[in-house]
Amino acid sequence: MSDALCSRRQKQVVHSGSAPSSESVDLDCVIVEILSRLPAKSLLRFRCVCKAWRALISDPYFIRKHLSRINTKSSTSYSLLLKEQIFRSAEYEEILKSLSHDGPLPSRRLDFPVLDRLVCISNIRIVGSCNGLICLVVDINAENFLTFMLWNPCTGECQVLPQPPVHASRGRFFGFGYDSITDDYKVILGSYKPGYSSVENVEFVVAVFMLKRGSWRKLERLNRYFWVSCEGCLVNEALHWVLEEVEDGWLIASKMVSFDLAEEKFHEIPFPYPPNPNDRLGFTAQVGILNNCLALEFMTMGDRGGWNLKMWVLKDYGVKGSWTEVTSIPSEVVDDEYTCMACISDNGEILMQLDVAGPLALYNPKEKTYKTLMGYGGYWYETATYIETLVSPLTGSTDAVM
């Protein structure tokens, strides 16, 4: 069979799931079905078996089929990215095994591409994770320009993006996600327009990078002031931030703002319940994701100090009445000033990060206890969940992995 014919039949089999009745093509179909169900790390090794397998595993249709096979509804499909002075990865199943005994959290070092000898890992922030791609931002430029990059920790591929067309002042925010309408990955950057200092009527500039086009473009300017957390949380192909507005000179967390990646428009989403006005000076909120659902953390100051933490999940996206409180942690249990959700296990235990740069801990809502997972010093500055895929950061799922 010629390479061209083989390639066409592979695409036909992978794309449509059917093929003309012939023994050779039926065998190709079986091979595709088997290989598409294997872990990405195994497939990377199997590229060395023969040229045909290398071509198949590198085929864009196969990469897309393999991605569709991953069970993103199960927490066991995810790995945890840990950023300290290096990048590490901890698989969910290994995390569960470590819970039965004391000791370091099992993790492996990731080969992170060297951008520049002057780039320190501490200057790199995690923007977001989507379909196995990690979006990172490097903040080292004195001219307030940011450098974004896309990285697949599984394949080791990376791409440094061109400089965005806007300055990145202290009011910046960003996000990363996938738009299925255009089959494209997008990076969002929002920032104050230079020259403005008043908190009222501040003009924001928003730019979008599209991976297929390989370029940035500016969106319409926003003439209404708002303040959101830096990194957006991706749920249902929309990015979400907690929105804070000015009230009596204070920034008050009042609702969420979402950015639809297909429409490229902002929308406001109300909180599941209004915060107590007496708690406003000691009230913070943070958006997150738990089991593929939009989640919110609400923290209020406890009577004896510390923070009371409540976690809510939007089980049916877009339906306000589907907000459900999943756990409530009193201040006497977790008294750190800041708590960041990482993920929640199938049995209800919650993996979280204590303090801004603190250790990981596992909270048991039934026993109302938490266990610190020390491992490798026990301190990670940032975490993110991701899945191991063959998706390329060069042109998304349509590019071959070579």
Side-chain angles (χ1 to χ4, degrees), residues 14-284:
V14 177
H15 184 58
S16 65
S18 61
S21 56
S22 89
E23 294 182 2
S24 61
V25 176
D26 286 344
L27 179 59
D28 287 341
C29 185
V30 172
I31 292 176
V32 167
E33 286 298 316
I34 294 175
L35 293 181
S36 67
R37 300 172 187 270
L38 298 180
K41 286 187 293 189
S42 298
L43 293 173
L44 292 175
R45 295 196 304 269
F46 292 164
R47 292 181 303 172
C48 301
V49 172
C50 61
K51 290 183 178 180
W53 278 31
R54 184 179 183 87
L56 173 61
I57 295 171
S58 301
D59 188 279
Y61 293 99
F62 177 84
I63 294 173
R64 187 173 301 177
K65 184 177 183 67
H66 177 261
L67 179 62
S68 69
R69 293 289 190 186
I70 298 175
N71 182 13
T72 58
K73 298 298 183 181
S74 172
S75 55
T76 57
S77 299
Y78 287 84
S79 296
L80 191 65
L81 181 69
L82 311 169
K83 185 187 83 80
E84 192 188 22
Q85 298 304 315
I86 58 175
F87 282 98
R88 291 186 177 274
S89 176
E91 295 184 2
Y92 178 85
E93 293 182 350
E94 294 299 321
I95 295 175
L96 290 183
K97 292 178 182 178
S98 69
L99 302 181
S100 59
H101 57 82
D102 296 327
L105 177 67
S107 63
R108 59 185 174 88
R109 180 170 180 165
L110 295 172
D111 293 328
F112 182 73
V114 178
L115 299 176
D116 189 287
R117 292 182 179 180
L118 299 178
V119 175
C120 180
I121 294 293
S122 60
N123 290 329
I124 299 177
R125 301 187 63 173
I126 300 174
V127 174
S129 168
C130 180
N131 293 345
L133 297 183
I134 307 293
C135 181
L136 304 169
V137 60
V138 185
D139 187 2
I140 59 171
N141 196 313
E143 299 298 325
N144 286 329
F145 279 104
L146 299 176
T147 298
F148 289 87
M149 67 174 296
L150 299 181
W151 173 43
N152 185 324
C154 183
T155 65
E157 284 187 306
C158 73
Q159 178 183 189
V160 177
L161 308 186
Q163 286 286 341
V166 299
H167 283 269
S169 67
R170 62 183 179 88
R172 64 197 177 202
F173 60 92
F174 26 72
F176 170 64
Y178 173 73
D179 173 16
S180 63
I181 301 297
T182 60
D183 185 28
D184 203 0
Y185 292 86
K186 297 180 178 182
V187 180
I188 312 301
L189 170 62
S191 176
Y192 288 131
K193 181 179 179 181
Y196 283 79
S197 58
S198 173
V199 295
E200 297 182 357
N201 298 322
V202 174
E203 186 177 68
F204 273 93
V205 180
V206 179
V208 178
F209 177 84
M210 289 161 288
L211 186 57
K212 281 187 174 180
R213 292 178 55 181
S215 61
W216 293 86
R217 64 182 177 85
K218 291 183 181 180
L219 299 183
E220 60 188 63
R221 292 173 177 174
L222 308 175
N223 293 315
R224 177 190 168 201
Y225 172 75
F226 63 84
W227 182 282
V228 298
S229 55
C230 286
E231 296 85 6
C233 177
L234 179 66
V235 179
N236 201 43
E237 297 191 14
L239 293 164
H240 302 78
W241 301 266
V242 169
L243 183 148
E244 296 179 334
E245 298 179 292
V246 176
E247 184 175 311
D248 297 328
W250 294 91
L251 285 172
I252 305 298
S254 59
K255 61 190 73 173
M256 284 183 293
V257 61
S258 68
F259 180 81
D260 188 287
L261 290 170
E263 296 180 352
E264 296 187 348
K265 292 183 179 180
F266 287 92
H267 304 278
E268 294 184 1
I269 303 175
F271 280 169
Y273 73 95
N276 187 336
N278 297 327
D279 292 334
R280 285 197 163 184
L281 294 181
F283 175 84
T284 61

